[in-house]
Amino acid sequence: MSKDSTGSNHGGDGFRGTDSYVATDDLQVAVNAAVTLQRPLLVKGEPGTGKTMLAEEVAASLGLKLIQWHIKSTTKAQQGLYEYDAVSRLRDSQLGVDKVHDISNYIKRGKLWEAFDADEPVVLLIDEIDKADIEFPNDLLVELDKMEFFVYETGEVIKARQRPIVIITSNNEKELPDAFLRRCFFHYITFPDRETMQKIVDVHYPGIKQSLVGEAMDLFFQVREVPGLKKKPSTSELIDWLKLLMADDIPEEVLRDRDPTKAVPPLYGALLKNEQDVHMLERLAFMARRENR
């Protein structure tokens, strides 16, 4: 059990994964280390490896509320604290609206404020931080360090009642500043090996035919190993593909005995997400056909 600076406790024995989320030992260690150190957990990894889902499962595992802040290219750090609607206040003052005398009526609380103001500890997810402007992470340094911020319009200081567990995800679209990285506990979610992938599939489809899974995974990992793919199929795409294979009742023999000179796997739209990769597999199939003549 770990205590934060406000004296609250986070979750009995810490995070151990859940019935619906397979967490490797090193991922469990990373989550619990970040909680113990009271630092944000920065999670990187290929798209589709469960970074966003991690925050949902940590919250579920520890019995905490989850607050999600999904970052876009236009998101500013200030929006996580609060936004002041000066335009609405000006309009209301011209109309003689009574609430105009209380400036707090025009302040919209952001996700950090929501997390800081919670009576109980929460999990705060800052999702895909690398989508924002390069200054975005630095603009949150003080607030995440001190767990407080100043509201200029009202003159009040907002302090975290309970220290939230902060999980930050990044798809490595751009480098994050060193000063920001120093304040985080870092974990890279490596792509699941076959054994871990089997556990993930079993969680999603407990009654699935193992012979189908075996053939599908053979083909899945073969596709991932094709050099030059723009986007390798991810865990979530394998799960979707298996669902389609079961829905269409595709026999495993179709996967096992697949002709290597045929272009792409059946129902490939679940695995491949752009035309360049489809064309690449078609070219490889064409070359295989020429070699077999």
Side-chain angles (χ1 to χ4, degrees):
M1 192 179 275
S2 60
K3 266 192 178 179
D4 65 23
S5 58
T6 58
S8 65
N9 292 310
H10 290 316
D13 296 322
F15 177 63
R16 293 288 177 265
T18 68
D19 291 342
S20 59
Y21 187 87
V22 177
T24 57
D25 289 345
D26 57 342
L27 180 55
Q28 293 175 32
V29 167
V31 170
N32 294 315
V35 172
T36 300
L37 292 173
Q38 300 179 2
R39 290 182 180 271
L41 173 63
L42 174 61
V43 184
K44 292 186 180 183
E46 279 186 39
T49 48
K51 299 186 296 297
T52 301
M53 195 183 297
L54 172 65
E56 299 170 3
E57 298 301 328
V58 168
S61 171
L62 302 181
L64 305 178
K65 178 184 176 183
L66 173 65
I67 296 175
Q68 303 185 58
W69 186 17
H70 299 289
I71 307 304
K72 303 176 182 177
S73 59
T74 55
T75 305
K76 301 299 180 188
Q78 179 65 31
Q79 293 171 299
L81 309 179
Y82 69 92
E83 294 180 271
Y84 169 51
D85 190 351
V87 174
S88 290
R89 190 174 185 226
L90 176 61
R91 185 187 63 239
D92 287 350
S93 68
Q94 293 169 339
L95 296 173
V97 177
D98 194 47
K99 71 174 186 176
V100 76
H101 302 295
D102 184 355
I103 198 169
S104 65
N105 288 322
Y106 302 92
I107 290 178
K108 179 185 176 184
R109 297 182 176 193
K111 297 296 186 181
L112 262 75
W113 191 331
E114 186 182 341
F116 287 5
D117 204 40
D119 291 326
E120 299 290 329
V122 300
V123 175
L124 172 63
L125 169 65
I126 304 177
D127 198 28
E128 299 191 327
I129 195 171
D130 52 324
K131 280 189 174 178
D133 181 86
I134 189 64
E135 288 304 316
F136 180 95
N138 280 339
D139 291 342
L140 289 177
L141 284 180
V142 174
E143 290 77 12
L144 291 177
D145 249 2
K146 294 188 174 182
M147 286 285 147
E148 65 178 51
F149 62 89
F150 184 68
V151 182
Y152 293 95
E153 289 77 9
T154 62
E156 61 184 322
V157 176
I158 306 301
K159 293 187 178 183
R161 297 183 184 186
Q162 307 282 350
R163 177 177 285 271
I165 297 174
V166 181
I167 297 178
I168 302 170
T169 71
S170 169
N171 284 327
N172 257 347
E173 289 186 14
K174 60 170 73 85
E175 284 297 315
L176 299 174
D178 287 345
F180 180 78
L181 294 174
R182 281 197 297 273
R183 287 164 169 82
C184 296
F185 189 91
F186 173 73
H187 181 73
Y188 185 86
I189 297 182
T190 55
F191 195 82
D193 59 20
R194 186 158 183 143
E195 182 182 351
T196 304
M197 190 67 84
Q198 179 73 55
K199 293 178 183 175
I200 293 170
V201 170
D202 290 343
V203 162
H204 283 82
Y205 307 122
I208 192 172
K209 284 192 296 184
Q210 290 305 315
S211 52
L212 174 64
V213 173
E215 299 300 339
M217 282 216 280
D218 284 346
L219 193 46
F220 172 78
F221 281 107
Q222 284 173 23
V223 171
R224 277 188 57 86
E225 289 169 8
V226 172
L229 281 186
K230 188 173 182 181
K231 185 190 180 306
K232 295 180 179 181
S234 67
T235 308
S236 57
E237 276 130 19
L238 173 62
I239 298 302
D240 287 347
W241 189 45
L242 283 169
K243 185 176 183 179
L244 287 174
L245 292 175
M246 288 189 294
D248 283 16
D249 204 18
I250 303 281
E252 58 264 25
E253 293 80 16
V254 171
L255 304 180
R256 183 175 63 242
D257 303 329
R258 194 174 72 93
D259 186 346
T261 64
K262 296 284 173 59
V264 289
L267 301 167
Y268 70 86
L271 292 178
L272 304 173
K273 300 300 182 180
N274 60 73
E275 63 278 12
Q276 295 99 312
D277 290 347
V278 175
H279 293 158
M280 177 171 289
L281 288 190
E282 287 173 341
R283 283 198 301 274
L284 291 173
F286 174 73
M287 292 167 64
R289 283 196 297 272
R290 291 183 61 180
E291 289 174 5
N292 288 345
R293 279 178 186 168

